Amino acid sequence: MIQKIGIIGTGMVGTALAKAFKNSGFDVYINNRTHATALQLAEEMRITHFQNLETLNQVDMVVIAVKDDAITTVADQLLPFLDKQIVVHTSGTHSIDSLASIPCRGL
């Protein structure tokens, strides 16, 4: 059962998803390449901010909500910290192939 969701990216999509997941009762963890931005959002929403990617070991699902041209790079960076988490991305233009390096992936 999915209870803890990690979101990578604090843009419009990542922020909207964080709010929706939190309002639906999920435990939300947020990360962004700009530490201060993620920390501010986490404080405002009362969710968990993380900087160390090892924190992903605590979540059930990871949402990659970054610019389309960064999805594959981010997915590759997350790979060493993933075990059995479901990993999804939010792009409407890129296929599942953007997550080819990750065993448990979906759209």
Side-chain angles (χ1 to χ4, degrees):
M1 182 166 110
I2 296 174
Q3 181 57 41
K4 297 178 181 181
I5 300 173
I7 300 175
I8 309 296
T10 59
M12 292 181 73
V13 174
T15 298
L17 288 173
K19 289 178 182 176
F21 288 137
K22 181 181 188 305
N23 290 340
S24 296
F26 292 96
D27 298 330
V28 178
Y29 295 68
I30 193 91
N31 175 280
N32 193 62
R33 66 181 174 180
T34 307
H35 172 71
T37 304
L39 184 58
Q40 179 181 352
L41 180 63
E43 289 174 352
E44 289 172 7
M45 292 183 54
R46 297 184 180 171
I47 59 176
T48 304
H49 162 263
F50 69 97
Q51 195 168 10
N52 186 336
L53 294 179
E54 287 181 7
T55 303
L56 292 174
N57 291 324
Q58 300 174 30
V59 304
D60 306 305
M61 182 171 79
V62 178
V63 178
I64 300 174
V66 299
K67 293 181 180 182
D68 288 357
D69 61 353
I71 292 171
T72 302
T73 301
V74 170
D76 290 344
Q77 291 171 346
L78 300 181
L79 186 59
F81 306 99
L82 300 174
D83 183 23
K84 295 181 181 178
Q85 298 90 334
I86 297 167
V87 180
V88 299
H89 68 68
T90 59
S91 174
T93 59
H94 287 272
S95 72
I96 191 76
D97 295 337
S98 298
L99 303 177
S101 63
I102 299 174
C104 290
R105 62 190 190 273
L107 283 175

